[in-house]
Amino acid sequence: MSGRREDVRRALSGCESFRSAQDIYADLRAAGSRIGLTTVYRALQSLSETGEVDVLRTDEGEAIYRACRTDEHHHHLVCRVCGRTVEVEGPAVEKWAAAVGAEHGFRDVTHTVEVFGTCSEH
Amino acid sequence: MSGRREDVRRALSGCESFRSAQDIYADLRAAGSRIGLTTVYRALQSLSETGEVDVLRTDEGEAIYRACRTDEHHHHLVCRVCGRTVEVEGPAVEKWAAAVGAEHGFRDVTHTVEVFGTCSEH
DNA sequence: ATCAATGCAAATGATTTGCATAACC
DNA sequence: GGTTATGCAAATCATTTGCATTGAT
């Protein structure tokens, strides 16, 4: 019954796209696991705190998660049809965000950037 | 009893920061209006569809709204303490997003960009 | 035996919907 | 009179919490 956190991590690792907690729960149950939805949420919260997975929000406000290959700061290019996701870097954006903040006297500037499109398969 | 949509628009216009539907409802009720929460949501949905207000999501998934000065594409620099918001442009970001999408064969590329910081008053 | 992990059910909180009423033309 | 806007209460949906149970040490 243990290792639920690992189950969740594995469910995410084997996947190219962002999934919601509900998706992951459904996947695991479909695969025969008796995991509870609560545990999925707790595992995801824990994994996101340690930085092992990235979290973002859909336009509908649902949280979606993905296992990331790198610990470094990066952004995502997501296919709006199939969810396929590419991790991208953006030095230009980092600089721009910092500059914009400084220009208006803001400190401790952070930013969120997500890019959506339709991938070549669709 | 009519003109609710206008009440909501006005509540947003007189405000420098992003507000949630619940905030606006509270503001209007506090100001003596007998508007219903449902109507606030309906007005906000309508206003955002016509592009009169901008919508984004907090990290907690709550939708927040703001009346924007311009119809043109732009982004926001938001103070994480007081919510004060500055509309900013980012040609560099627009180009970067388009380039990143093209590089990976994505079509119809769009993007969301928000910048957060602590403003000079805090 | 003890402490942490787990699951189920109930609670929360934002948002939406059903429906009857009131305002508008 | 017929359509549209409004509000209240109930319904949804994702997510969280209370609590008793189970697993690991």
Side-chain angles (χ1 to χ4, degrees):
Chain A
M1 182 185 277
S2 185
R4 282 349 195 161
R5 187 184 148 116
E6 286 312 309
D7 291 348
V8 170
R9 190 215 303 278
R10 215 172 305 119
L12 265 175
S13 299
C15 179
E16 276 274 299
S17 57
F18 277 94
R19 320 297 313 270
S20 70
Q22 310 274 345
D23 288 343
I24 294 163
Y25 172 68
D27 290 352
L28 288 169
R29 296 292 283 205
S33 170
R34 289 187 189 164
I35 197 171
L37 181 56
T38 306
T39 306
V40 172
Y41 275 105
R42 282 195 280 237
L44 286 170
Q45 180 174 352
S46 159
L47 288 167
S48 66
E49 276 168 6
T50 63
E52 289 169 88
V53 305
D54 258 23
V55 194
L56 61 87
R57 297 257 168 198
T58 66
D59 283 345
E60 294 80 43
E62 192 181 31
I64 50 179
Y65 306 83
R66 181 173 189 242
C68 288
R69 289 177 195 145
T70 165
D71 284 352
E72 290 156 50
H73 179 76
H74 61 275
H75 301 292
H76 299 103
L77 171 61
V78 185
C79 174
R80 65 168 67 84
V81 176
C82 65
R84 187 159 73 85
T85 302
V86 180
E87 293 177 15
V88 294
E89 276 185 47
V93 185
E94 317 301 327
K95 283 178 194 160
W96 170 80
V100 160
E103 185 184 328
H104 293 276
F106 281 56
R107 285 169 289 110
D108 305 321
V109 177
T110 60
H111 60 276
T112 64
V113 174
E114 303 300 334
V115 185
F116 300 93
T118 305
C119 81
S120 51
E121 310 287 305
H122 300 97
Chain B
M1 183 182 280
S2 184
R4 278 359 190 150
R5 185 183 148 115
E6 285 312 308
D7 292 347
V8 170
R9 189 214 304 278
R10 215 172 305 119
L12 266 175
S13 299
C15 179
E16 276 274 299
S17 57
F18 277 95
R19 319 296 313 268
S20 70
Q22 311 274 346
D23 289 341
I24 294 164
Y25 172 69
D27 290 351
L28 288 169
R29 296 291 284 206
S33 170
R34 289 187 188 162
I35 196 172
L37 182 55
T38 306
T39 306
V40 173
Y41 275 105
R42 281 194 281 238
L44 287 171
Q45 180 174 352
S46 159
L47 288 167
S48 66
E49 277 168 6
T50 63
E52 290 170 89
V53 305
D54 259 23
V55 195
L56 63 87
R57 298 258 168 197
T58 65
D59 283 346
E60 294 79 44
E62 191 181 30
I64 50 179
Y65 306 83
R66 181 172 190 243
C68 287
R69 290 177 195 147
T70 166
D71 285 352
E72 290 157 50
H73 178 76
H74 61 274
H75 301 292
H76 298 104
L77 171 62
V78 185
C79 174
R80 65 167 67 83
V81 177
C82 65
R84 187 160 73 85
T85 302
V86 180
E87 293 177 17
V88 295
E89 276 184 48
V93 184
E94 317 303 327
K95 284 178 194 161
W96 171 79
V100 159
E103 185 182 328
H104 293 276
F106 282 55
R107 284 170 289 109
D108 306 320
V109 177
T110 61
H111 60 276
T112 64
V113 173
E114 303 300 333
V115 185
F116 300 93
T118 305
C119 81
S120 50
E121 310 287 306
H122 298 97

